[in-house]
Amino acid sequence: MKSIKNLALGAGGAAVVLFAVSLASSSSAPVPAPADQEAFINVAESTVNGVVSVKSFATPRQQMQQYYDPFGDDPFFQYFFGGTPRRQQQQPQQKSEQEQRQIGLGSGVIISEDGYIVTNNHVIEQAERLEITLNDNRSFNATVIGADPTTDLALIKIEADDLHVIPMGNSDDLHLGEWVLAVGNPLGLTSTVTSGIVSAKGRNLGELEQSRGGSAQSHGIESYIQTDAALNAGNSGGALVNLKGELVGINAALYSPSGQYTGYSFAIPTSIVTKVINDLKEYGTVQRAMLGIRFGVLTPEIIKDKNIQGVNAGIYVGSVEDQSAAKEAGIQEGDVIVAINDNPTTNTAQIQEVMAKCSPGDKVNIVFYRDGKRYEKSVTLRNGRGNTEVTRAGNVTDLGCAFSVPSKETMDQLGISYGVQVKGLESGPMKEHGVREGFIIQTINNVRVSKVEDVEKIYNSLMKDESADKVFFLKGIYPTGKTGYYAVPLND
């Protein structure tokens, strides 16, 4: 899980602190009535077999470098589902003989008898190898089917049959005060169960930090179920279940000044999980629907400053993107969106959750206010490229070329010490945008590349990005000594 300390994300042994559910109790926690004990026991005993331990291994690497995000520091507006949270890309390093070491410990939930498992993206994102241990102590290596940093979810698979599955429930049916159990592997302790109640729904941690005097930050789509079930490092990716034994959330984060459980814990609702995991399984990437606005939550200050009438809660539209669904619907700067498909949108978490459940091509009904009057429009949602086509997970080979490290003689002749050379150029984005055979790429988006794996990592990171502008900005040199600069769109 993520541990939120002043909204700084960290992982156990890596760049993000992994969450885990610990077997802890509090004298202030409500005690279930004796009649409920059997339900607690039955759910606990059945669900522990559907939760696995996820160990991630990787070769030690150099310090991380962040991509520049032009919207990441904006304290008020976000580019709704077209903006990007900051991404991290590892600095290239020379080949190392170091062996892999364990960099993190998390949990996962079995969602099919043939080995599909859902977990958090931050549990697996830095891993070169994943080791899955079942509750019966059997171990397997896992393959990553797909991952979505924006919702912090990932789908992995092991080769096994007849596994215990936790049935999928509907988080929309949860009520405040309802009992839930959290199941995971905190602090290396397997098969740990804790209990709590649903404290809140639709919680956004960025807004929580802002309310505590911090600055608003975007960590992707956040619409958490808040509970008081104890979670600690290692619970990330574990199950949140109701008393019917149904999965209602994937445990993902806690809010704590110390990094340890202090009363707040958060889970990604199955209303989001189901959509994301189905997309990853079918397409390898999430079919993200975008409204195409920059927005902020309506506040008393905005109401007074902008003379808003007829409404006192909603999403204030700061601007509307061209060729977007919002533009087509006639939404304008200064409008206040109050509902989408009958779902209230009075805060960031609510609008993110309703949009996260949609796909490009879906038709939604938007209710908004302008100059004190209520309007209702139907619109077909689009993807980041402004259309409704299916997006599939890309591969670096889609660029239409191969790559290799230049010979030492070539680099000595040119006076360079790093770079990756374009080979076997065929039809594709690289050729179409001017790159020629033999071009030696030295940087991509200002990140040095010294081996083929560096190109692949940058490509894969960008393709996971929700930005509409997926572009390789290349700087390099030809064997003749001529320098070259190219912008290669990856959406072509």
Side-chain angles (χ1 to χ4, degrees), residues 39-340:
F40 276 68
I41 293 170
N42 291 339
V43 171
E45 289 182 345
S46 64
T47 53
V48 291
N49 295 312
V51 176
V52 303
S53 170
V54 181
K55 294 180 181 178
S56 56
F57 296 84
T59 304
R61 299 183 184 278
Q62 294 182 359
Q63 189 174 0
M64 311 278 282
Q65 173 179 333
Q66 289 187 330
Y67 284 120
Y68 173 65
D69 170 18
F71 301 112
D73 295 326
D74 191 336
F76 185 68
F77 292 116
Q78 303 175 48
Y79 175 24
F80 186 46
F81 298 130
T84 60
R86 288 183 183 269
R87 295 286 185 264
Q88 291 185 322
Q89 174 65 36
Q90 293 172 342
Q91 290 271 32
Q93 66 168 17
Q94 300 299 320
K95 290 184 178 180
S96 172
E97 299 300 324
Q98 292 177 295
E99 294 183 354
Q100 291 180 342
R101 64 177 177 86
Q102 184 175 337
I103 61 170
L105 173 66
S107 304
V109 180
I110 300 171
I111 59 171
S112 72
E113 293 182 353
D114 58 348
Y116 283 97
I117 296 168
V118 61
T119 185
N120 289 136
N121 174 70
H122 74 259
V123 170
I124 61 94
E125 65 179 341
Q126 301 295 333
E128 296 172 359
R129 180 173 68 87
L130 295 172
E131 181 182 291
I132 308 303
T133 303
L134 306 185
N135 194 43
D136 61 11
N137 288 325
R138 286 184 292 164
S139 291
F140 302 85
N141 286 329
T143 301
V144 177
I145 302 301
D148 182 42
T150 303
T151 54
D152 193 24
L153 291 169
L155 181 65
I156 61 179
K157 190 177 187 304
I158 61 175
E159 296 304 318
D161 297 313
D162 300 323
L163 298 177
H164 182 87
V165 176
I166 298 180
M168 193 70 70
N170 186 355
S171 58
D172 289 342
D173 294 336
L174 283 175
H175 298 281
L176 297 185
E178 181 174 343
W179 279 98
V180 287
L181 301 183
V183 188
N185 301 280
L187 309 174
L189 302 173
T190 60
S191 307
T192 300
V193 181
T194 56
S195 65
I197 61 170
V198 176
S199 306
K201 296 172 66 176
R203 187 70 80 193
N204 182 285
L205 296 184
E207 293 177 349
L208 175 61
E209 177 65 10
Q210 190 175 29
S211 71
R212 292 170 63 94
S215 59
Q217 301 182 42
S218 173
H219 302 299
I221 295 174
E222 293 185 349
S223 184
Y224 292 117
I225 302 166
Q226 180 184 332
T227 78
D228 62 353
L231 299 180
N232 285 287
N235 268 112
S236 286
L240 186 73
V241 298
N242 59 24
L243 293 190
K244 297 178 182 178
E246 298 171 332
L247 183 71
V248 291
I250 297 296
N251 295 317
L254 62 84
Y255 191 93
S256 168
S258 67
Q260 300 297 319
Y261 174 73
T262 57
Y264 299 111
S265 56
F266 301 88
I268 303 167
T270 53
S271 60
I272 293 176
V273 174
T274 302
K275 164 68 164 58
V276 170
I277 295 306
N278 287 342
D279 281 355
L280 292 178
K281 187 174 182 180
E282 184 171 357
Y283 307 109
T285 189
V286 178
Q287 306 303 301
R288 191 85 66 207
M290 297 184 183
L291 191 53
I293 62 172
R294 296 171 187 252
F295 72 92
V297 177
L298 190 64
T299 64
E301 292 76 17
I302 295 175
I303 292 174
K304 181 178 179 181
D305 183 56
K306 303 295 183 180
N307 193 28
I308 303 296
Q309 300 176 11
V311 62
N312 57 15
I315 296 297
Y316 178 81
V317 178
S319 64
V320 179
E321 300 298 312
D322 290 337
Q323 298 180 325
S324 66
K327 189 86 169 181
E328 179 186 345
I331 293 174
Q332 301 175 9
E333 178 181 346
D335 290 347
V336 179
I337 300 173
V338 297
I340 298 177

